[in-house]
Amino acid sequence: MQTSSDHSTPTPMAIPNNIAVIILAAGAGKRMKSSLPKVLQKVGGMPMLGRVIATAQQLNPASTTVVYGYQGEEVRAAFPDAALTWALQTEQLGTGHAVLQALPHCAADGIALILYGDIPLITEPTIRNLADKAAATNALVWLTQEVLNPAGLGRIMRDAAGNLASIKNERDASLAEKEVKEIWTGLLACPIQKLAEWLPKLQKGNAEKEYYLTDIMAFAAAENTAQFSCNPKQAWECAGVNDQIERARAERQYQITCANALMMNHGVTLADPARIELRGNLICAANVAIDINCIFEGTVELDNNVTVGANCVLKDCKIAAGTQVLPFTMIDGALVGKNCKIGPYARLRPNTNLAQDVHIGNFVELKAASVAAGSKANHLSYLGDTVIGSGVNIGAGTITCNYDGANKHQTIIEDNVFVGSDVQLVAPVRVAAGATIAAGTTIWRDVDGASLNLNPKTQEQKANWQRPVKTPK
């Protein structure tokens, strides 16, 4: 028996562990005009295929099989996860043919959930609803939606009673059929036993001369096999990406969705939701404020009352409560303590660890540096492979000379040291607590505590000095 479209959301239930996810990712993607395989093009900082895999894995399926083909080894190499099964489609002969390659890797008594590597914005609630429906009814379930402009998409054909009858692809549809607004998104869930029965029956009698997965709707209708339709939670979820314009649209939709979630779910103040780029996982506590044009990569954690100024790039870092990150600052792989002030134009490189109340100012760069509470380096300095105690002042133009041409060496600056401007500390070297280093000094030996350190200097003056004059050509 057939059943008409069911757009209701079924009662939430735990998806059984017999769901076999099949992700189609074999296409060449010629319209991308790129040497990079289409499914490796990024949306939100992650390859599109990776985003689909991550969403599917939220269902805890029994298996996940990726059907690959074009530049297949490059695609496989991008996802070394042992939990994935790979099925090679040596010739791209259509979606039906692609699914057929995956069936040997799926349990015969399971439910297949068909996804696509170039539909990156599909959400967990939508595919959970689709899989739930198929598992609960042991029926063929199609994900459909009505769109204003269905051009190029497969139209859903229904009989007089509203039952699902067939799908007409654009190039095979009549003028009347092209007026239908309900389309198939490409996603479905179906008992694997039925797919194993239907897929070998597919024919290439269509304009593309391919084995269409869409034809199984007519098979089910002819056999009176139960089939249903359900809809995505949001209309934009099922947008396919076939060229760079569509990729850019997906990117913008992803970004605005993430921005809205930050504001609605976490109370983040965004100066402009259209000018934030999330390329990873941004975790925000209360009262976080982010200015325009900031980029977040990897996993970034912002604690209570953190503010991030305009045009900053933060990657794989943790920023503790009350810290200000001023404009044009880059933080990568660093831990920043409470109530610090970083920037503007500062750079914290990996393995940098700042305690509370540290100030790192404009054009100061730290790498593998540990800075204790209350210390500051406010101007034009490089501090690499450095341990700095508390209450230390680093003057403008200070450099820790950590590299001898072959190896890196450490500089240790103990508590309450005052370092004047234009100082070079040639590592390995230790400056003991309370020492003072005068401006313009080069330190290459260890410094005792409570001492003044400077290089002997003379200043000579010549009266009535005439500057050289450039010789005319």
Side-chain angles (χ1 to χ4, degrees), residues 343-355:
Y345 294 98
R347 184 183 182 194
L348 307 185
R349 291 168 59 189
N351 301 313
T352 292
N353 191 340
L354 309 185

Side-chain angles (χ1 to χ4, degrees), residues 193-385:
Q193 290 179 340
K194 298 305 294 185
L195 286 178
E197 175 187 334
W198 291 328
L199 294 181
K201 298 179 182 180
L202 295 176
Q203 301 294 319
K204 294 193 295 182
N206 50 65
E208 297 287 348
K209 303 302 180 185
E210 293 182 347
Y211 298 102
Y212 286 163
L213 187 58
T214 52
D215 290 347
I216 68 172
M217 179 180 285
F219 292 168
E223 297 175 6
N224 274 337
T225 297
Q227 52 183 332
F228 302 87
S229 67
C230 58
N231 302 138
K233 299 296 182 181
Q234 293 90 15
W236 45 260
E237 289 183 52
C238 299
V241 173
N242 295 293
D243 55 39
Q244 293 293 356
I245 293 174
E246 291 176 345
R247 187 209 56 78
R249 287 174 184 158
E251 179 72 42
R252 189 46 36 209
Q253 181 61 62
Y254 174 81
Q255 295 298 340
I256 197 64
T257 301
C258 291
N260 289 342
L262 286 172
M263 293 185 291
M264 292 296 296
N265 300 335
H266 304 284
V268 176
T269 299
L270 298 179
D272 185 351
R275 288 188 283 175
I276 181 174
E277 292 290 320
L278 300 182
R279 300 173 185 172
N281 186 25
L282 177 58
I283 303 168
C284 294
N287 302 315
V288 168
I290 300 172
D291 210 331
I292 62 170
N293 298 333
C294 291
I295 299 173
F296 299 90
E297 300 181 348
T299 297
V300 175
E301 296 184 31
L302 306 180
D303 207 344
N304 296 325
N305 301 300
V306 167
T307 61
V308 181
N311 304 295
C312 292
V313 179
L314 275 63
K315 178 181 179 181
D316 291 319
C317 58
K318 292 184 179 182
I319 313 297
T323 286
Q324 301 176 57
V325 180
L326 300 179
F328 295 96
T329 291
M330 299 182 67
I331 302 177
D332 179 5
L335 301 176
V336 179
K338 294 181 178 179
N339 301 315
C340 293
K341 182 179 287 188
I342 314 297
Y345 294 98
R347 184 183 182 194
L348 307 185
R349 291 168 59 189
N351 301 313
T352 292
N353 191 340
L354 309 185
Q356 66 183 32
D357 300 311
V358 170
H359 290 187
I360 302 297
N362 49 287
F363 301 103
V364 175
E365 178 180 356
L366 277 70
K367 189 272 293 184
S370 176
V371 183
S375 293
K376 57 185 178 179
N378 282 328
H379 318 280
L380 302 161
S381 295
Y382 171 71
L383 305 170
D385 297 286

Side-chain angles (χ1 to χ4, degrees), residues 12-34:
M13 58 185 292
I15 291 181
N17 61 4
N18 68 336
I19 297 298
V21 171
I22 298 173
I23 304 174
L24 306 188
K30 294 179 180 179
R31 283 180 281 170
M32 298 299 294
K33 302 294 193 294
S34 172

Side-chain angles (χ1 to χ4, degrees), residues 85-291:
T85 300
W86 296 86
L88 178 62
Q89 187 185 23
T90 54
E91 294 183 89
Q92 280 70 67
L93 300 178
T95 51
H97 179 260
V99 175
L100 190 60
Q101 312 312 302
L103 287 193
H105 304 284
C106 304
D109 60 348
I111 298 290
L113 174 63
I114 311 298
L115 308 177
Y116 290 76
D118 60 0
I119 301 182
L121 301 185
I122 194 67
T123 65
E124 184 270 343
T126 288
I127 63 172
R128 180 174 292 276
N129 183 35
L130 185 62
D132 274 346
K133 188 73 174 176
T137 60
N138 199 40
L140 173 56
V141 183
W142 303 80
L143 189 68
T144 72
Q145 63 183 144
E146 292 196 2
V147 296
L148 292 176
N149 180 16
L153 303 172
R155 313 304 204 276
I156 298 294
M157 300 291 110
R158 295 179 179 272
D159 62 20
N163 297 317
L164 296 165
S166 66
I167 299 176
K168 282 296 182 72
N169 288 287
E170 172 86 7
R171 293 183 63 175
D172 301 306
S174 67
L175 290 177
E177 289 167 338
K178 289 179 180 179
E179 294 299 315
V180 174
K181 303 299 184 184
E182 185 182 11
I183 58 94
W184 179 45
T185 63
L187 279 65
L188 64 83
C190 180
I192 291 171
Q193 290 179 340
K194 298 305 294 185
L195 286 178
E197 175 187 334
W198 291 328
L199 294 181
K201 298 179 182 180
L202 295 176
Q203 301 294 319
K204 294 193 295 182
N206 50 65
E208 297 287 348
K209 303 302 180 185
E210 293 182 347
Y211 298 102
Y212 286 163
L213 187 58
T214 52
D215 290 347
I216 68 172
M217 179 180 285
F219 292 168
E223 297 175 6
N224 274 337
T225 297
Q227 52 183 332
F228 302 87
S229 67
C230 58
N231 302 138
K233 299 296 182 181
Q234 293 90 15
W236 45 260
E237 289 183 52
C238 299
V241 173
N242 295 293
D243 55 39
Q244 293 293 356
I245 293 174
E246 291 176 345
R247 187 209 56 78
R249 287 174 184 158
E251 179 72 42
R252 189 46 36 209
Q253 181 61 62
Y254 174 81
Q255 295 298 340
I256 197 64
T257 301
C258 291
N260 289 342
L262 286 172
M263 293 185 291
M264 292 296 296
N265 300 335
H266 304 284
V268 176
T269 299
L270 298 179
D272 185 351
R275 288 188 283 175
I276 181 174
E277 292 290 320
L278 300 182
R279 300 173 185 172
N281 186 25
L282 177 58
I283 303 168
C284 294
N287 302 315
V288 168
I290 300 172
D291 210 331

Side-chain angles (χ1 to χ4, degrees), residues 29-50:
K30 294 179 180 179
R31 283 180 281 170
M32 298 299 294
K33 302 294 193 294
S34 172
S35 60
L36 187 69
K38 178 169 69 168
V39 295
L40 296 187
Q41 302 282 334
K42 291 184 178 181
V43 170
M46 181 185 294
M48 293 192 294
L49 176 56

